[in-house]
Amino acid sequence: MALLEMRDVSVTYRTGGLDVPAVRGVTLSVDSGETLGIAGESGCGKSTLTSTVLRMQPKSATVTGEVLVDGKDVTTMTWGKVRALRWAQASMVFQGAMHALNPVQKIGVQIAEPILLHDKKATHASADKRVGELLEMVGLPARRADAYPHQLSGGQKQRVMIAMALACGPQLVVADEPTTALDVMVQAQVLDLMASLVKDLGLAMVLISHDLSVLSSACDRIAVMYAGQIVEEGPATQVFDSPAHPYSGALAGAFPRIGDARFRYAPSGLPGDPPFPGEVPDGCSFHPRCPRAIDRCRAEEPALLQLTRPGADRRAACHLAEVRA
């Protein structure tokens, strides 16, 4: 059984008297020891989808489908069980550490808080010891527990967020664009750290990013989202090196590889923006921006089907992809 399994998950927001679909029928799974990357531009539904894992969506949202964490459906849990799930079984690393950390509390106090809340046997002394171990685990000296967030660099604050997410020994960690605000060198360090934690601790991790090149190097599999749906899913290197969906190809082309002749004289770009939720066009939602669109794309929505390419273990939602009937 997968540690995280999403079955036909849809999320709609009630706004302006209308139900606006932000996520539409997503099915995904993640096993222990595996990292799943979710890619897509802003507004494609990545964060909304993963918010359902910890039931963090606002009251205006309606979730249908099943979100199973270790076999238990989060969408039907009582609030008491959801509270027990958060931090202890599943946790989240947010995008902006400075916005997630309390600027007037020492980081040691903030890391210790979930430990004291969830472990009834924990004392302040044992929590402080655990904080030191967690900081060492993420590459910071234990003495930094006495620092305030403003005394740490961006990369160090992100490491603190990772330590906090691991405080109660969760099985699943969701990381929502954890390296977006960091420079390239620190980004690589944080991603290496997260990969080693998945391997050493046997975690399942969901890593969200708009950067397909980052996900291809840090993840086992990638799911590409567009207009609230999965348009391609499969092994990370396959999705990045030989994308089957035109949108995946545009994302990969936006991050050229140095020394690769394919990018030397033909830099790629993608005009326009994803459709606003509630204004998704008929047919394939990507067809207004797709250079390969045909009449069928404008009239018929493609299903997410298994590819027939040799050696390809993935799915794509494109009429022009070679898929099994």
Side-chain angles (χ1 to χ4, degrees):
M1 179 186 295
L3 183 57
L4 171 64
E5 190 171 0
M6 295 180 167
R7 299 175 181 171
D8 196 26
V9 175
S10 295
V11 183
T12 59
Y13 291 111
R14 186 70 178 175
T15 178
L18 299 174
D19 290 325
V20 179
V23 174
R24 303 182 291 143
V26 170
T27 296
L28 286 173
S29 64
V30 190
D31 295 325
S32 297
E34 181 182 37
T35 300
L36 171 69
I38 300 181
E41 297 167 282
S42 297
C44 286
K46 307 184 301 298
S47 296
T48 294
L49 174 66
T50 53
S51 73
T52 64
V53 176
L54 297 177
R55 217 156 97 186
M56 296 178 65
Q57 60 276 1
K59 291 182 179 179
S60 61
T62 299
V63 180
T64 60
E66 296 178 301
V67 182
L68 305 176
V69 177
D70 198 20
K72 300 177 181 65
D73 192 352
V74 178
T75 66
T76 60
M77 285 182 180
T78 64
W79 275 112
K81 291 183 178 180
V82 171
R83 180 186 171 110
L85 170 81
R86 294 173 176 174
W87 297 103
Q89 287 182 274
S91 60
M92 179 167 280
V93 179
F94 295 97
Q95 179 175 350
M98 181 55 85
H99 302 297
L101 296 173
N102 189 330
V104 298
Q105 280 193 335
K106 294 180 179 179
I107 62 169
V109 173
Q110 299 184 60
I111 298 173
E113 181 179 6
I115 300 173
L116 295 170
L117 282 173
H118 286 276
D119 186 353
K120 302 305 179 183
K121 297 181 180 179
T123 63
H124 285 281
S126 65
D128 289 344
K129 180 180 178 182
R130 175 65 173 158
V131 168
E133 293 171 351
L134 288 164
L135 289 175
E136 296 281 357
M137 186 184 299
V138 298
L140 292 173
R143 66 177 183 276
R144 298 301 281 167
D146 289 329
Y148 289 93
H150 73 271
Q151 295 175 308
L152 303 176
S153 70
Q156 289 173 329
K157 285 194 283 283
Q158 204 63 54
R159 289 169 185 265
V160 170
M161 283 296 303
I162 296 171
M164 193 181 300
L166 298 174
C168 297
Q171 301 168 286
L172 171 67
V173 175
V174 178
D176 190 352
E177 302 207 36
T179 62
T180 298
L182 306 177
D183 63 63
V184 175
M185 294 301 294
V186 176
Q187 173 179 272
Q189 294 170 7
V190 171
L191 290 172
D192 287 344
L193 168 64
M194 297 175 74
S196 65
L197 291 172
V198 170
K199 180 180 178 180
D200 296 342
L201 303 179
L203 303 172
M205 182 172 290
V206 179
L207 180 59
I208 302 170
S209 179
H210 62 278
D211 189 333
L212 204 61
S213 65
V214 165
L215 296 181
S216 69
S217 63
C219 300
D220 300 296
R221 292 186 299 120
I222 293 176
V224 179
M225 288 191 71
Y226 187 80
Q229 293 181 310
I230 302 297
V231 296
E232 184 169 355
E233 187 265 334
T237 53
Q238 290 185 20
V239 173
F240 185 66
D241 291 335
S242 57
H245 195 282
Y247 182 61
S248 305
L251 291 180
F255 299 95
R257 290 181 174 178
I258 296 175
D260 191 329
R262 292 178 301 169
F263 300 103
R264 187 172 300 169
Y265 301 111
S268 299
L270 184 63
D273 297 294
F276 187 77
E279 299 178 1
V280 177
D282 293 335
C284 174
S285 57
F286 185 61
H287 85 256
R289 305 172 71 191
C290 181
R292 299 167 53 196
I294 58 178
D295 289 341
R296 185 184 179 191
C297 302
R298 300 177 181 89
E300 180 184 339
E301 183 177 5
L304 186 63
L305 299 175
Q306 192 78 19
L307 292 181
T308 57
R309 293 183 183 182
D313 179 22
R314 52 189 165 129
R315 303 176 295 163
C318 180
H319 293 307
L320 300 179
E322 296 176 0
V323 298
R324 293 180 190 154

